[in-house]
Amino acid sequence: MTRAGAAALLFLAAAVLRPDAAAADQPLNEAQAAANAWDEVYNAGDMDRLSKLYAADAIVVTKGQPQSGTGIATFFSGLKAKGWDDHKVTVKSAQPKGDLLIATGRWAMSGPGEGGARKTFEGNWVNVLERRDGAWRSVLHTWN
């Protein structure tokens, strides 16, 4: 058997014996897609669309006090008005639990720094999503 043939046989054996990588990556891909949608609408300043990414009974745990209902859009609108922009989430893990998807990762965004200069801020991010009406909706969102 040639080296190329042996390599092809090993590749085929690995593909047969290994669980479907695409299925294993699906929760992570779905969580990243939800995070990307959130980043897109927040960065565009579209708080009406942003609020639709949350379930009606969602809670956003902020540094001040938890937000729910219309308070969520009001909170993020206030951040945007103060110059907080260029939000980006990188999902590091996603664990499905029935109709829930628990996602964790890192967030980064630019905001006002000392002397009015722009500065990048970053931290940990947690989002619990629930599948409702065929779409993922945030039910719990927090960061530090």
Side-chain angles (χ1 to χ4, degrees), residues 91-144:
V91 177
K92 300 289 187 179
S93 72
Q95 297 178 16
K97 303 276 186 193
D99 285 340
L100 296 178
L101 183 59
I102 302 168
T104 64
R106 300 284 295 169
W107 65 271
M109 70 188 311
S110 63
E114 284 188 39
R118 302 289 298 163
K119 181 178 176 183
T120 298
F121 296 83
E122 61 184 338
N124 296 308
W125 168 90
V126 176
N127 201 349
V128 178
L129 300 122
E130 185 174 19
R131 188 169 298 282
R132 293 190 182 180
D133 299 323
W136 290 113
R137 302 283 183 244
S138 291
V139 294
L140 178 64
H141 178 187
T142 192
W143 60 92
N144 68 5

Side-chain angles (χ1 to χ4, degrees), residues 36-65:
N36 291 347
W38 194 98
D39 288 339
E40 179 184 324
V41 297
Y42 174 82
N43 290 330
D46 189 342
M47 297 306 145
D48 183 51
R49 279 182 50 210
L50 185 85
S51 64
K52 292 176 182 163
L53 299 177
Y54 290 89
D57 57 350
I59 298 171
V60 175
V61 181
T62 68
K63 184 178 179 182
Q65 69 179 39

Side-chain angles (χ1 to χ4, degrees), residues 75-86:
F75 173 79
F76 287 116
S77 182
L79 283 182
K80 188 78 168 160
K82 291 176 185 170
W84 293 93
D85 207 359
D86 304 319

